[in-house]
Amino acid sequence: MRHRRVDLVLRLHDQPSQVGRPLPGHLPNRRGRSSLAAKSIKGEDGGMRRRLLRIMVIAAIAIGAVPGGPALAAPAEREAPLLRSTDPGAERFRPVGRLDASSQCTATVVSPARPPDPRARALVLTAGHCVGRFAANDVRTGVDAPAGWTFTPAYFVDTADRHKPFPVASIRYATMKGVDLAVLELAASYGDLAAIDVRPLELSAAPPPEGAPIEVVHAPVDGLPQDQQFLRLSRCRSGTRTDVAESPWVWYGASPNDCAGVAGGSSGGLVVQRDGRRVVAVLNTTVETRVSGVCKLGRPCEIGPGGAVIRPGTSYAIGVAPLAGCPLDDLACRLDPGLGAAPSDTRVAVRSEGARWDAALDARGRTHARIKTGPLGRTDCRNPAGYGRPFAIEDRPLIDDPLPAREDFYVLCVVSGQGSEWVPARFASFTTVQVDDTPPVVAPVVSARDLGTQWAVEPIFQIFEIVHYDIKYGAPDEIDCADPAGYRPYRRIPAFLDKTQAWRYCAIGYDLAGNATPPKAVDLNPA
């Protein structure tokens, strides 16, 4: 069940190639999977119920998305201007273009050497989540790219008739663990790109400057007509670097910004200093306005000693300094190689009563591990201090220690080894969870559509405040919404109620932790 859930964890910010979007405020229907999850919840204990609530909401968000693509990417509230090839300074951005991979993103041709060997295969840099689905600790290296993946450089609106896509040959490196970066190899050389006047940008060895003016070049898709889905230029400022969590992922030292126009398709976009020619970062995530919650999918939060803070209207970028100075054949030489034992992604949120970590350890060839736990943002997995004594993974394959009863976000850190060789703490694996005993702050919403001789009645999801419903209905004199008896899981299928009688429809909403709303009663009376 955990493996199935991890496979469904998708990003919210990039545009899948061909996706039918759900309506705002609704989770899309997919009767097979939703019904199965709902059926599994019925009659289970509280722990299983919370676990399945997590699966259900992620499955519902994923409906309609191609692998690795998001389902609820939102259009930007402020547009950035389109970038034309004739604009002053636009020649700097010819290496930037459209990546058509597991989702539509933005990518940039890069090279650690200048000038690169024209015979060498060209590399492009983008966000890790643009090339597939990742659990919190996944790292991929040396993987052949699926057929059909392409990169189109110089993706200007006024040169559409000259756009030339190049096939992507392989994923050199990709991860969402600690950073959100991917290096792809094209089935074309730097010389092939130079023939169309596309030359790579160098990577900055310094992190994004705090408070400095930056330029972001990206190709958003969501909310834009097809003839405007080309490169755009945002001029803004880079904020103070911060750690960011968007369950189940944590990214260290991300740079916040208030750049306009960031939307689905912008991920992987180029970030340079104003008038600069070196890549300092790539766009990673943004705070969505169509969903609620803190540190959840589409609602990244900043984490630190003061706890978790969400900043509406903020986007984040991941610095590329770890790539600078690495050779062309090992551009990710300073990044996590993905060799350590990893805990499974547990749940997004749980109630405190009886809550445990419930995290299975994937040994990945390691025999022993050490762990530490604590509040997220105040517990640094990269700091070797605070880890417990080593234990054999085969003796303790499941970390089921109790979670604290206090409401907060928590992290479980794991370092592992075999013999005298241990993964350094800077590459520690982790999983996170929220202890949440607070009921949803919104009331259930029930829709009753008039179909003439019937009403089609269904509750409306409000991600992430209400992700599941229990319902019941009947004649008003036979149904008491305050009585817990008779409720059953809502299976994503409307109730079709004949207008030959009056009806009372009752709904109780639940959040990811399983906290319940007061019951909602809707009375329907024939005219």
Side-chain angles (χ1 to χ4, degrees), residues 83-107:
L83 186 60
R84 289 172 169 77
S85 63
T86 55
D87 289 343
E91 73 281 353
R92 289 183 294 142
F93 305 127
R94 290 189 62 80
V96 189
R98 164 72 68 221
L99 175 67
D100 280 294
S102 63
S103 54
Q104 287 184 300
C105 285
T106 308

Side-chain angles (χ1 to χ4, degrees), residues 123-209:
L123 302 181
V124 296
L125 177 65
T126 189
H129 70 264
C130 292
V131 301
R133 301 171 293 197
F134 290 81
N137 297 290
D138 284 352
V139 176
R140 296 176 195 164
T141 60
V143 180
D144 289 342
W149 283 20
T150 62
F151 169 72
T152 307
Y155 206 65
F156 300 110
V157 64
D158 60 331
T159 60
D161 59 337
R162 285 172 275 163
H163 289 168
K164 181 177 175 58
F166 293 90
V168 177
S170 67
I171 301 171
R172 282 279 198 93
Y173 182 91
T175 191
M176 294 177 69
K177 180 184 178 183
V179 297
D180 184 15
L181 295 172
V183 178
L184 309 181
E185 181 181 284
L186 301 182
S189 68
Y190 286 108
D192 295 330
L193 295 178
I196 59 170
D197 199 25
V198 171
R199 292 170 176 80
L201 295 181
E202 291 186 78
L203 302 167
S204 173

Side-chain angles (χ1 to χ4, degrees), residues 78 214 234-239 256-262 313-315:
R78 299 172 295 142
I214 57 174
S234 302
R235 288 190 168 98
C236 40
R237 285 187 176 272
S238 181
N257 63 73
D258 60 352
C259 299
V262 177
T314 301
S315 299

Side-chain angles (χ1 to χ4, degrees), residues 275-336:
D275 300 322
R277 291 181 177 269
R278 291 194 175 200
V279 184
V280 297
V282 298
L283 282 179
N284 156 240
T285 189
T286 192
V287 180
E288 299 279 4
T289 58
R290 297 199 305 174
V291 295
S292 61
V294 178
C295 307
K296 307 291 193 300
L297 292 170
R299 300 285 289 180
C301 64
E302 299 179 11
I303 53 174
V309 177
I310 193 162
R311 302 192 186 281
T314 301
S315 299
Y316 297 90
I318 302 296
V320 302
L323 302 175
C326 291
L328 185 64
D329 60 353
D330 188 15
L331 198 57
C333 67
R334 296 177 185 167
L335 294 178
D336 190 333

Side-chain angles (χ1 to χ4, degrees), residues 248-264:
W249 306 284
V250 175
W251 302 298
Y252 302 121
S255 295
N257 63 73
D258 60 352
C259 299
V262 177

Side-chain angles (χ1 to χ4, degrees), residues 1-2 4-5 8 27 33-60 346-350 358 461 467-469 489-490 492 510-514:
M1 186 63 78
R2 288 191 191 90
R4 181 184 182 95
R5 172 174 54 77
L8 290 170
L27 284 178
R33 182 167 294 151
S34 297
S35 296
L36 175 63
K39 183 177 181 180
S40 299
I41 284 178
K42 189 174 182 179
E44 298 288 351
D45 63 23
M48 179 62 75
R49 181 189 187 94
R50 288 190 294 268
R51 189 175 300 117
L52 290 172
L53 283 174
R54 158 76 163 150
I55 297 167
M56 288 171 63
V57 68
I58 295 175
T346 53
R347 297 133 294 171
V348 172
V350 296
D358 191 26
F461 295 97
V467 301
H468 171 69
Y469 279 99
Y490 170 56
R492 279 70 176 166
Y510 297 87
D511 62 17
L512 281 169

Side-chain angles (χ1 to χ4, degrees), residues 390-460:
F391 61 88
I393 295 175
E394 66 176 359
D395 294 338
R396 194 182 177 189
L398 179 70
I399 307 300
D400 61 352
D401 297 8
L403 279 160
R406 181 177 180 271
E407 286 190 306
D408 206 339
F409 294 88
Y410 294 94
V411 63
L412 163 66
C413 310
V414 179
V415 292
S416 58
Q418 185 170 8
S420 61
E421 296 184 1
W422 280 71
V423 173
R426 71 179 185 276
F427 295 149
S429 299
F430 55 82
T431 189
T432 64
V433 70
Q434 179 187 13
V435 173
D436 178 15
D437 290 325
T438 303
V441 297
V442 298
V445 174
V446 175
S447 167
R449 288 176 290 144
D450 191 335
L451 302 182
T453 61
Q454 292 180 316
W455 291 288
V457 187
E458 59 184 333
I460 306 302

